[in-house]
């Protein structure tokens, strides 16, 4: 029998290679933990949470760790760009703090790196806020193909129109 806590540690907490990280945060490893293991994992995630790595932040939001809130709010004040949106999303998942909506609305337009933008577009539907949905919709017309494609995909809309638009584009 495998120990899911050991798997979580190896594949989540200790994941530091491209091969381990290429598919994104393995939240299913948290979902596989027993209640007892989850308490241990939560403490370990809180211990390592920092601005250097978004995985623990995402994990703490996923498990709705109220104990992590003081650290997350502290990191939020020190963060910017995609990391700020990621932290705001995790806080919102945990306690539905509506101030996080304002932070996302203020921060998203300042993110200019397309890859950082793609990373946080995924979080926008979770806010279920009309203004964020409108902002999200606006990214469907982004000049960068990957941003427009992922914005459309994360809205749950067919991507064919975006593909065609960029296929026909002459540069």
């Amino acid at each position: 029998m495998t120990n899911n806590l050991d798997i979580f540690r190896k594949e989540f907490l200790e994941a530091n290679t491209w091969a381990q990280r290429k598919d994104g945060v393995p939240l299913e490893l948290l979902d596989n933990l027993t209640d007892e293991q989850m308490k241990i994992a939560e403490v370990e995630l809180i211990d390592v949470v920092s601005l250097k790595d978004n995985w623990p932040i995402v994990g703490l939001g996923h498990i709705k760790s109220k104990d992590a809130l003081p650290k997350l709010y502290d990191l939020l004040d020190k963060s910017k760009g995609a990391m700020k949106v990621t932290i705001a999303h995790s806080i919102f998942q945990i306690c539905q703090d509506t101030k996080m909506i304002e932070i996302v609305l203020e921060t998203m337009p300042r993110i200019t790196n397309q890859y950082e933008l793609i990373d946080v577009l995924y979080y926008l539907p979770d806010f279920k806020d009309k203004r964020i949905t409108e902002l999200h919709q606006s990214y469907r017309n982004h000049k960068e193909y990957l941003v427009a494609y992922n914005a459309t995909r994360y809205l749950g809309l067919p991507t064919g129109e975006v593909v065609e638009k960029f296929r026909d584009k002459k540069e």
Side-chain angles (χ1 to χ4, degrees):
M1 186 166 135
T2 58
N3 181 338
N4 288 334
L5 187 59
D6 289 339
I7 294 169
F8 161 76
R9 287 176 176 140
K10 183 175 184 282
E11 299 297 323
F12 192 113
L13 288 179
E14 299 167 14
N16 56 15
T17 66
W18 181 83
Q20 289 172 300
R21 288 187 166 242
K22 68 180 172 61
D23 294 327
V25 186
L27 297 174
E28 69 281 355
L29 296 177
L30 287 165
D31 297 338
N32 292 337
L33 299 176
T34 64
D35 290 347
E36 196 64 37
Q37 291 171 332
M38 183 66 78
K39 288 176 188 157
I40 295 165
E42 179 181 20
V43 168
E44 292 178 5
L45 284 168
I46 292 170
D47 284 346
V48 299
V49 74
S50 75
L51 293 176
K52 294 178 186 161
D53 184 5
N54 69 341
W55 277 29
I57 294 164
V58 173
L60 288 165
H62 181 72
I63 65 171
K64 298 180 179 15
S65 171
K66 291 196 184 329
D67 291 345
L69 284 171
K71 268 195 165 177
L72 291 174
Y73 278 109
D74 182 53
L75 289 175
L76 182 69
D77 291 338
K78 301 172 186 170
S79 65
K80 59 185 180 198
M83 185 60 88
K84 191 171 206 82
V85 173
T86 302
I87 296 167
H89 176 257
S90 288
I91 291 170
F92 188 79
Q93 282 183 295
I94 296 166
C95 66
Q96 303 291 298
D97 181 346
T98 55
K99 290 184 195 108
M100 298 305 109
I101 292 170
E102 302 306 322
I103 287 171
V104 170
L105 289 169
E106 180 183 303
T107 307
M108 286 297 293
R110 296 181 186 163
I111 301 172
T112 55
N113 179 294
Q114 70 171 320
Y115 301 106
E116 286 184 27
L117 205 47
I118 291 165
D119 281 348
V120 294
L121 285 171
Y122 175 76
Y123 302 133
L124 299 184
D126 292 343
F127 288 95
K128 295 181 180 15
D129 178 88
K130 183 179 181 230
R131 295 166 301 158
I132 288 183
T133 302
E134 288 170 3
L135 176 67
H136 193 166
Q137 287 278 0
S138 74
Y139 287 111
R140 295 183 62 214
N141 297 313
H142 198 275
K143 64 182 172 45
E144 296 293 340
Y145 168 71
L146 288 175
V147 173
Y149 179 88
N150 282 291
T152 303
R153 195 176 104 191
Y154 296 146
L155 281 162
L157 300 171
T159 55
E161 190 179 308
V162 176
V163 172
E164 286 303 314
K165 176 180 154 189
F166 279 88
R167 185 178 290 147
D168 296 340
K169 208 174 196 182
K170 301 280 188 252
E171 294 199 29

